[in-house]
Amino acid sequence: MLTLFISLSCKKEDELKESSDPLVAVESALKPYFIRFTNEAKTRGFAVDLSSHPLTGIISDIPTSQVIGQCSYSNENPYKVTIDKPFWDKASDLGKEFVVFHELGHCVLGRAHDESMDSRGFCLSIMRSGTGNCRDSYNSTTRKAFLDELFSE
Ligand SMILES: [Zn+2]
């Protein structure tokens, strides 16, 4: 009986230790992009407090075609980011960043979709739905303007 009690209390201690890392439930391949998101926010004076947004992040097959990322909410996983595995496996670093930042825009910043476009039809926001009429132009040159826009609201 005593042994059982000790092993239970040890387990509880381990769980407490884990929960001090706000990204403990984020898959290791995704973590650098989550950290990059908080750093980009910080350089723009936008304090992202991940301890108040217990994030889950996984890479897995999203069965819906054309959908490469999701932010979902439930009691068990209040802010869950899912990135499509077939997309992830072939995406560039910027492509991965784009989809992770879009989903964190929903999950952490609480932003909705924004289909704004310039006079040439290029999307002005990372928060474009992907099913609207604007065309993506996220690259190393336009990146800064997109991130300024993302953290402006
Ligand atoms: Zn979206």
Side-chain angles (χ1 to χ4, degrees), residues 102-103 106 113 127:
H102 176 99
E103 299 314 327
H106 288 308
H113 282 146
M127 298 314 295

Short mmCIF file of all heavy atoms in Angstrom, two decimals, residues 102-103 106 113 127, ligand 1:
data_model
loop_
_atom_site.label_atom_id
_atom_site.label_comp_id
_atom_site.label_asym_id
_atom_site.label_seq_id
_atom_site.Cartn_x
_atom_site.Cartn_y
_atom_site.Cartn_z
N HIS A 102 -0.10 30.83 -39.71
CA HIS A 102 -1.52 31.02 -39.99
C HIS A 102 -2.37 30.37 -38.89
O HIS A 102 -3.28 30.99 -38.35
CB HIS A 102 -1.86 30.40 -41.35
CG HIS A 102 -3.32 30.44 -41.71
ND1 HIS A 102 -3.87 31.38 -42.54
CD2 HIS A 102 -4.36 29.65 -41.31
CE1 HIS A 102 -5.18 31.18 -42.64
NE2 HIS A 102 -5.51 30.13 -41.91
N GLU A 103 -2.03 29.13 -38.55
CA GLU A 103 -2.82 28.42 -37.53
C GLU A 103 -2.65 29.06 -36.15
O GLU A 103 -3.60 29.14 -35.38
CB GLU A 103 -2.46 26.93 -37.49
CG GLU A 103 -2.72 26.17 -38.79
CD GLU A 103 -4.08 26.46 -39.42
OE1 GLU A 103 -5.05 26.70 -38.68
OE2 GLU A 103 -4.18 26.46 -40.66
N HIS A 106 -4.87 31.94 -35.72
CA HIS A 106 -6.19 31.56 -35.21
C HIS A 106 -6.11 31.23 -33.71
O HIS A 106 -6.83 31.79 -32.89
CB HIS A 106 -6.71 30.30 -35.92
CG HIS A 106 -7.14 30.51 -37.33
ND1 HIS A 106 -8.01 31.49 -37.73
CD2 HIS A 106 -6.84 29.81 -38.46
CE1 HIS A 106 -8.22 31.39 -39.04
NE2 HIS A 106 -7.51 30.38 -39.52
N HIS A 113 -10.25 34.85 -40.73
CA HIS A 113 -9.67 34.95 -42.07
C HIS A 113 -9.78 36.38 -42.60
O HIS A 113 -10.68 37.13 -42.24
CB HIS A 113 -10.37 33.97 -43.02
CG HIS A 113 -9.88 32.57 -42.84
ND1 HIS A 113 -10.69 31.47 -43.00
CD2 HIS A 113 -8.66 32.09 -42.49
CE1 HIS A 113 -9.97 30.38 -42.76
NE2 HIS A 113 -8.74 30.72 -42.44
N MET A 127 -3.46 35.50 -42.99
CA MET A 127 -4.74 34.96 -42.55
C MET A 127 -5.74 34.77 -43.70
O MET A 127 -6.92 34.56 -43.47
CB MET A 127 -5.34 35.84 -41.44
CG MET A 127 -4.51 35.91 -40.16
SD MET A 127 -3.88 34.30 -39.57
CE MET A 127 -5.43 33.48 -39.15
ZN ZN B 1 -7.41 29.49 -41.42
#
